[in-house]
Amino acid sequence: MINKRYKKVVVGGTFDKFHYGHRKLLETAFQLGDFVEIGVTSDSFGGLKGDIDPCKVRMQNLSKFFKDYDNFHLCKLEDKYGPSIYEEDFDAIVVTEETEPTAIEINEIRKKKSMKPLDIVVVSFVLADDNIPISSTRIRNGEIDKKGNLLD
């Protein structure tokens, strides 16, 4: 097992149609952090992505998946920054290649507030069988399943 390098790690997302890409992102956060704050986009903020499951359902799915863990907290995200720009005690943020620019913005905001910048850990996408990243949109469109298998 990887030795944890951080006391408190933050990670966020919509986590709709919980898939293998989400698993990799969150498992990385748990490998790196003693405690993980998981931000889940609210219905109003996440709804900007289209037809997604309600926030309550997405949070329940995460709680079920991580039922054997006791070192995390779920919170609703009303914007793309969440608690990362208010709580000083985060050490790192775990993001995908797609959301790395937001992590950079978060660090700029933290610096302006005289908060220490977060280490940014970038997790690569999990590719489906067609070598295109697994995404909730592709799952909703019926192209792939949650493991990245192509559907007919």
Side-chain angles (χ1 to χ4, degrees):
M1 181 162 162
I2 296 173
N3 285 336
K4 298 182 192 254
R5 299 186 325 193
Y6 303 105
K7 281 190 174 291
K8 195 169 179 186
V9 172
V10 64
V11 61
T14 304
F15 302 112
D16 189 42
K17 310 299 182 218
F18 192 74
H19 56 69
Y20 274 29
H22 295 137
R23 281 179 64 164
K24 180 180 178 184
L25 180 73
L26 292 168
E27 286 171 351
T28 300
F30 279 101
Q31 287 171 350
L32 296 173
D34 292 328
F35 186 86
V36 180
E37 181 82 19
I38 304 171
V40 181
T41 57
S42 68
D43 291 332
S44 57
F45 180 51
L48 301 173
K49 287 189 165 196
D51 183 27
I52 62 170
D53 290 334
C55 181
K56 183 178 180 180
V57 170
R58 292 179 280 123
M59 290 178 108
Q60 287 171 343
N61 290 341
L62 288 169
S63 291
K64 284 179 195 168
F65 187 79
F66 292 108
K67 69 182 182 308
D68 295 331
Y69 293 73
D70 62 358
N71 60 332
F72 73 96
H73 177 257
L74 296 174
C75 67
K76 279 188 190 177
L77 294 177
E78 299 295 343
D79 59 43
K80 63 183 178 175
Y81 307 123
S84 65
I85 61 169
Y86 301 109
E87 295 182 27
E88 291 193 45
D89 61 346
F90 292 119
D91 302 304
I93 184 168
V94 180
V95 296
T96 63
E97 300 156 36
E98 181 182 35
T99 56
E100 184 179 14
T102 299
I104 293 167
E105 287 177 36
I106 286 168
N107 273 344
E108 290 169 2
I109 293 168
R110 288 176 67 90
K111 285 177 192 170
K112 286 179 186 170
K113 295 173 119 182
S114 299
M115 297 166 71
K116 70 176 166 83
L118 303 174
D119 285 353
I120 299 172
V121 179
V122 181
V123 176
S124 59
F125 291 119
V126 175
L127 301 180
D129 289 345
D130 58 3
N131 290 319
I132 298 171
I134 295 174
S135 72
S136 301
T137 301
R138 295 187 71 203
I139 294 166
R140 274 192 302 279
N141 291 343
E143 298 172 38
I144 59 172
D145 66 15
K146 294 176 181 185
K147 294 180 180 179
N149 298 310
L150 295 174
L151 303 175
D152 293 329

